[in-house]
């Protein structure tokens, strides 16, 4: 039976289901050598992926028997799981684990740990690296400063290609990965960058400034990381220097970090829109229950509000039970149309496509779309209501309520996220509750109210 | 009033609202020189952004007066708008526009044009480039072959650093941006790559193969672009060679392309989950109405199904109108819980976190979460139902129906997307309709059915 749900092997990147089974088997046999043999050729990202996919009991057992989780694997793990594993590690083990990481990876690892754990990790770093990590932690959460790498290859802006090449070929310690040489002026302000490709192919006598890329753009340490990620995507940047308050170069953000940030940003948006704040598949039942409860509680309030509106019309419904049968249709169509509008608006706010310059045009468009779709479904549902219950007037009421609710849905779906954004609330998080409240209340009120006036 | 909705300037990247106003003014004055002066210092991505934000009339006027839309700007525009603008261009203008683009950008530009337009663009390309574009168009839509760049810097795998440097400094034509030298064996198969940083800092006599990166990974021309994008994010790749059926190097995908793909992939997921297939803010009312109609139609069928279930219990409702007041609560809570589960599942399928290895564990977890949250809200709503209408039995019915519906929601929210994925249907597109149908039908049936049996 399990076969039936087995997905294509390539879906799981490098982690074949048979590998997982083999690792679990070796773990239950307590065979550390076998585990090492299995996991040694596997990419750290895939090992993290494998650990995430194990049931909690197997996961704990594997970590205990194997004792092979290193800094790279930790960096790749889901946050919740990462903290859990760090919790189980002795300070000496932790020291071993963070030793090989670059400073930005250490920051990534420790930023959400509680103070005791953070202290334990910092204690094992050498002076310079500890300083770099502490400096990064002093910047706001989710800022450029938290995500930058302090290892930067820089060159004075008056250098020639030859000087740069000689410098790079000297004994200087270079970062693992770098793609640009950042040009700085006498006050350490970054003024441009040159790709290594250009340095390699240019004449030695050429000035670096003549080879600088047009796409150059720098960020401030306190710029929100999400803005940085969007700017990388928008301007097709490969790396960008980060400056402090005095405009001095203090670090660099590279596109691979920006890609990770953009992906996290996406994950947050999509989960928040669905009312799942955070959370991953490796969370336990209890954690998941707690993550989902708040949104369901908000929805309960919404639903009770809608019920109270229905309660106003109890006598109307007693007079014509067909109203109870048909009323969810109006509310449901409004809810769906509202979700369409709000998702487009939330996404457009995130990508900076919805701005002060076009918000009125977008609102007008949504109203028009609501009106047109409202008319289409009014005709459809009006006919259904009439034929089903043999009452032409019921059809008319249904049709008019449908138009009203779809227009309101278009309006609320755009205005609510825009106002939330203005108020500094993440529109992805809160828009859904407001918009469905509006469409439920308006839907029931319009339909039952019109029925009370026009039919009974 | 407009001021009230004006967002922070930095939200709109480099496009200040005042710039937009100035451009519109210069356009109405027919002042081409002024437009050029305004737009000359602006990044093509920002110009595209500005064009997207204009109302359709101003947009058309700007393009006509300015005559400055070039290939780079076209590449940055929303697809729909891009086609619209290309439609208005004479073949000679088009020729001018695509002349400076690299082959992968031309592919991007023409792949969704209709045949006449495609032919017009291809006709202006020179032989070699035309061949490259036609070759790329022969690969499936949304494949690695469509998105790769054919300009690759390659070196035989027996070369030394010195040989590579001499080659790069010779008169060979190099791509605008490149970060790696791809090593190929005698049969043109890519076997590794070396970053330019390592080449620059190593001794001339060192063998390139000794400097090759561990992260090396290649793709097949027909691999889905989405898989490539996820692999870049998962393995932190910077570039990756693309091979044909004979394992020969035919192109390269770089991380900036992968980032664009990942972003498009995400946009698709988030919009599909909300029942908005495609679409952007620059679409017209008619286009938007058409995009949203199909999902609303599907929802109408769902809603009518739910109404038919209610219709089965007309006499029950006549007997106790309180049931009509409370029944939307059960359906609404189920719908929300189902959306939570399905969003987590859809996202996890997209990121390859939900696989054959853990699907049963995830289903068990969702059932447990549904049960626990169901119990919490059963107690709450049971009390509300009892107090509101003074009928303890009504509270009990509401409570039991709530538990049933939240458990069903958790189950459907996971199983539906997994099955759709197995069937080759995009779970982001279709899961919502199925899951809400299930929670509506089960919600109304459980609540009204229990009421019919236990109360009346």
């Amino acid at each position: 039976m399990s076969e039936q749900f087995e997905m294509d092997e390539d879906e799981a990147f490098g982690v074949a289901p048979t590998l997982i089974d083999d690792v679990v088997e070796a773990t239950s046999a307590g065979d550390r050598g076998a585990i090492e043999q299995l996991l040694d050729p596997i990419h750290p990202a895939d090992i993290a992926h494998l650990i995430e996919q194990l049931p909690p009991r197997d996961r704990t057992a594997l970590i205990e028997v194997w004792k092979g989780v290193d800094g790279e694997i930790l960096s790749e793990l889901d946050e919740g799981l990462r903290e859990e594993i760090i919790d189980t590690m002795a300070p000496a083990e932790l020291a071993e684990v963070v030793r090989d990481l670059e400073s930005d990876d250490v920051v990534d690892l420790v930023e959400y740990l509680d103070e005791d754990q953070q202290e334990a990790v910092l204690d094992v770093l050498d002076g310079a690296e500890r300083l770099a990590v502490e400096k990064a932690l002093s910047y706001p959460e989710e800022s450029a400063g938290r995500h930058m790498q302090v290892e930067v290859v820089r060159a004075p802006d008056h250098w020639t290609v030859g000087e740069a090449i000689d410098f790079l070929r000297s004994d200087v310690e270079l970062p693992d990965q770098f793609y640009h040489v950042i040009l700085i002026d006498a006050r350490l302000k970054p003024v441009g960058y040159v790709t290594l490709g250009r340095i390699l192919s240019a004449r030695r006598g050429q000035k670096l400034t003549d080879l600088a890329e047009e796409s150059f753009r720098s960020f401030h340490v306190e710029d929100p990381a999400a803005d940085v990620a969007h700017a990388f995507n928008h301007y097709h940047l490969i790396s960008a220097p980060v400056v402090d308050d005095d405009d001095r170069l203090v670090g660099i953000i590279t596109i691979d970090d920006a890609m990770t940030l953009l992906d996290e940003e996406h994950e947050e948006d999509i989960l928040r829109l669905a009312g799942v704040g955070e959370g991953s598949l490796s969370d336990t039942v209890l954690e998941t229950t707690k993550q989902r409860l708040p949104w369901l509680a908000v929805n309960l309030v919404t639903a009770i509000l809608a019920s109270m509106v229905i309660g106003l019309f109890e006598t109307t419904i007693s007079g014509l039970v067909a109203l109870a049968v048909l009323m969810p249709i109006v509310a449901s169509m409004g809810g769906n149309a509202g979700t369409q509008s709000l998702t487009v608006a939330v996404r457009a706010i995130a990508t900076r496509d919805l701005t002060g310059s076009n918000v009125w045009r977008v609102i007008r468009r949504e109203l028009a779309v609501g009106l047109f779709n409202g008319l289409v479904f009014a005709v459809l549902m009006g006919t259904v209501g009439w034929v089903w219950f043999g009452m032409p007037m019921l059809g008319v009421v249904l049709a008019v309520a449908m138009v009203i609710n779809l227009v309101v849905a278009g309006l609320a779906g755009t205005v609510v996220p825009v106002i939330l954004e203005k108020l500094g609330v993440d529109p992805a998080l809160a828009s859904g509750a407001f918009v469905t409240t509006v469409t439920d209340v308006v839907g029931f009120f319009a339909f039952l109210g019109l029925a009370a006036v026009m039919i009974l």
Side-chain angles (χ1 to χ4, degrees), chain A residues 80-107:
Chain A
L81 210 52
R82 191 196 295 167
E83 284 178 40
E84 215 180 288
I85 293 177
I86 290 181
D87 260 339
T88 68
M89 293 175 115
E93 279 178 287
L94 255 183
E96 198 53 52
V97 153
V98 296
R99 188 153 297 159
D100 303 328
L101 294 179
E102 306 225 336
S103 65
D104 59 329
D105 290 325
V106 178
V107 173

Side-chain angles (χ1 to χ4, degrees), chain A residues 307-372:
Chain A
S307 287
M308 286 166 71
V309 172
I310 301 172
L312 297 177
F313 296 95
E314 269 190 75
T315 43
T316 316
I317 294 173
S318 309
L320 184 62
V321 180
L323 295 175
V325 176
L326 293 175
M327 68 184 185
I329 296 179
V330 180
S332 156
M333 292 296 281
N336 271 272
T339 304
Q340 290 181 328
S341 298
L342 91 84
T343 305
V344 170
V346 166
R347 166 81 190 167
I349 289 172
T351 59
R352 282 66 169 163
D353 283 326
L354 182 57
T355 64
S357 308
N358 61 357
V359 66
W360 292 107
R361 187 169 66 77
V362 172
I363 289 173
R364 277 199 305 275
R365 189 188 71 163
E366 290 295 330
L367 285 174
V369 171
L371 181 65
F372 289 158

